[in-house]
Amino acid sequence: MNPPDYAVFGHPISHSLSPRIHAAFGKQTGIALNYVAIDAPAESFAAALARFAGDGGRGASVTLPLKQDAFRLCTQTSDFARRAGAVNSLTRIDGTWHGDNTDGPGLIRDLTGRHGLDLRARRTLLLGAGGAARAAAHALLDAGIGELFIVNRSPERADALADSIGLPKRVHTRYWDDLAGLGGFDLIVNATSAGVARETLRLPFGLVAPRALCYDLSYGSAAFGFLGWANAAARTARGSKALDGLGMLVEQAAESFAIWHGTRPETDPVHDLLRAELPLLATD
Ligand code: NDP
């Protein structure tokens, strides 16, 4: 087998679906590729990426917790990656890495394309201020949401994100303990990694407005805690619903595939295949 030409880096990484997704896209489009998962803790990521490039690596996805490190390792970055301060998609060009952020576009494509949601003017709560939250904040604001409230376990990171966005009339930060007094939201995005760490978020049901969407960026069992809370809240918040980030995962992968191979694959067949294996919690 030739050395891999594409890879996803992260830590932990063994459960990543990205190799399967990119293999399916390659098969669908008739593009031969060898895409593997490479386990890389933050301290050895730069060396692992350099080794991959030396062996002929042409493109890399980057996941938890390396997106801000990836940003620093790029010689050039896209406008959106610079605004987010995070890179999840690297392309080897003339011996250096070019960084993009496909998480933001992937999130919006899933919400508006697959699920047909109108995001405009939605009063939005963003939980988390890490790499994924940064991309989500910019993408959601670009898509026309209304006010954005950012709440993070470490409040200074929420403040840093809000400051970097620079829209003080539209973007606000609050402490976790303030959540009970914030009223209802039309869109609640969980961009924390609490579910991955099997930790539970303390969230009042009153956050969920009627017809709201509660969206967890994680998927599979990592999303069960948040989706369970959202489904319980739906008993009083009529018409609200809950989704996980599986669709975003497939869409961000398709965006990266398009950057690397010049053609955008069809995402629904791959999404539907994975959804059959990773069902959303039943809504009752
Ligand atoms: P980061 O490590 O950059 O950020 C993690 C965030 O979670 C921080 O805001 C952190 O807060 C917060 N957090 C962690 N544990 C807890 C907890 N117990 N309670 C409250 N907050 C907590 O990770 P990413 O931003 O890269 O990823 C976040 C999540 O999004 C992951 O689950 C990841 O799998 C998912 N994701 C999904 C994608 C998709 O395509 N569906 C794409 C990208 C990410 P603090 O600042 O205080 O540490």
Side-chain angles (χ1 to χ4, degrees), residues 141-159:
L141 288 162
D142 289 353
I145 59 163
E147 281 186 301
L148 175 66
F149 288 76
I150 306 169
V151 173
N152 192 48
R153 180 178 60 180
S154 312
E156 63 281 3
R157 287 183 86 191
D159 289 340

Side-chain angles (χ1 to χ4, degrees), residues 7-19 35-42 45 49 60-71 86-90 100-103 130-132 193 196 217-219 248-249 252 256 260:
V8 56
F9 291 80
H11 184 70
I13 200 65
S14 58
H15 293 99
S16 173
L17 296 171
S18 294
Y35 183 117
V36 299
I38 297 177
D39 187 74
F45 172 50
L49 188 66
S61 314
V62 177
T63 185
L64 199 80
L66 306 172
K67 292 179 186 179
Q68 277 149 302
D69 296 315
F71 181 80
V87 156
N88 75 318
S89 181
L90 295 149
D100 285 281
N101 189 310
T102 63
D103 282 339
S193 55
V196 175
L217 263 52
S218 40
Y219 42 85
M248 172 182 172
L249 179 78
Q252 63 77 26
S256 293
W260 296 333

